[in-house]
Amino acid sequence: MASGTVVDITQHVLAGNDAAAAENRATLDAAGVIALNLMASPGAGKTSLILATAARLRADGCRAGVIEGDLATRIDADRVAAAGYSVAQINTGGGCHLDATMVRGGMAALDLTSIDVLFVENVGNLVCPANFALGSHANVVVASVPEGHDKPFKYPGIYAAADVVVLNKCDLAALLEFDAVTFAAGVRLVNPHAPLFTLSSRTGEGVAAWAEWILGRARHDFP
Ligand code: MG
Ligand code: ZN
């Protein structure tokens, strides 16, 4: 049956990816590096969030590295490098998500002994990144106020896959009539337990609490 064949191929691809993700995780654990997979729509402010968070972590003596995933260009990697962080750029050449093998290549280009936290900025996309494990310790969904409070209802899969949700650009909430209660209800519909941080990378509001969550997670995994 044709539809059965399609499912089988998909399962095969995902199984291969899971094996590569497990290898990545073992490499990260051996190096004592906690990795966060940042998933979001284009324009949610992933790179700005990474920079604001990494600066806060640096003040606490925690060293950040970054893998940037984009269809094309080094624009984000250049921003991160200019701020003084180790960074590897992955261009997917049109691919709409990162997979574990791509991330392995990015990890190989970084000195894992010189970092404590690895931010993996996935390709901007609220659909398929949720289906590809990378070997990270936590999936972070980055939402942003301009996207509107209905997105958890419309893209339940990625919110269900989140270990933690960050709502960025909270400084625009009043201007854009963003309903934080409805947003949170949408998250809870598919994900009852993931911590939810509301912040603004631009103003810095809420970034300290988010960075503290990362530090707590790192202390838990690598005491
Ligand atoms: Mg970016
Ligand atoms: Zn994809």
Side-chain angles (χ1 to χ4, degrees):
M1 199 169 80
S3 60
T5 306
V6 171
V7 170
D8 288 344
I9 291 168
T10 303
Q11 298 298 347
H12 181 72
V13 168
L14 290 176
N17 185 70
D18 282 350
E23 287 177 25
N24 289 351
R25 179 61 169 271
T27 301
L28 291 162
D29 284 344
V33 174
I34 184 163
L36 304 175
N37 173 22
L38 273 65
M39 303 184 289
S41 66
K46 295 185 293 301
T47 311
S48 298
L49 175 67
I50 288 169
L51 291 173
T53 309
R56 182 79 205 189
L57 293 172
R58 184 155 61 184
D60 286 319
C62 180
R63 304 162 300 173
V66 183
I67 293 175
E68 284 290 343
D70 285 293
L71 301 187
T73 79
R74 288 190 49 86
I75 291 171
D76 285 353
D78 288 346
R79 280 179 71 193
V80 171
Y85 303 103
S86 303
V87 59
Q89 177 78 54
I90 298 170
N91 283 148
T92 62
C96 49
H97 58 267
L98 293 179
D99 66 27
T101 302
M102 295 176 199
V103 170
R104 176 192 295 165
M107 286 166 53
L110 294 171
D111 175 11
L112 294 180
T113 66
S114 72
I115 63 174
D116 305 300
V117 174
L118 176 61
F119 294 98
V120 181
E121 182 177 336
N122 216 311
V123 178
N125 175 352
L126 287 178
V127 186
C128 49
N131 297 328
F132 290 83
L134 304 181
S136 59
H137 295 79
N139 283 335
V140 184
V141 170
V142 183
S144 70
V145 162
E147 296 166 40
H149 44 250
D150 58 353
K151 291 305 169 291
F153 298 92
K154 292 175 144 183
Y155 299 90
I158 202 146
Y159 282 91
D163 298 301
V164 54
V165 176
V166 173
L167 175 62
N168 192 15
K169 308 190 188 184
C170 71
D171 51 312
L172 301 176
L175 182 69
L176 299 178
E177 299 182 338
F178 184 88
D179 182 348
V181 173
T182 298
F183 175 80
V187 174
R188 290 294 168 244
L189 202 59
V190 293
N191 194 323
H193 301 302
L196 170 57
F197 292 95
T198 299
L199 56 76
S200 167
S201 302
R202 190 177 72 83
T203 68
E205 178 184 353
V207 173
W210 157 236
E212 188 54 44
W213 182 88
I214 296 171
L215 289 170
R217 185 63 206 260
R219 280 191 294 265
H220 177 268
D221 284 26
F222 305 111

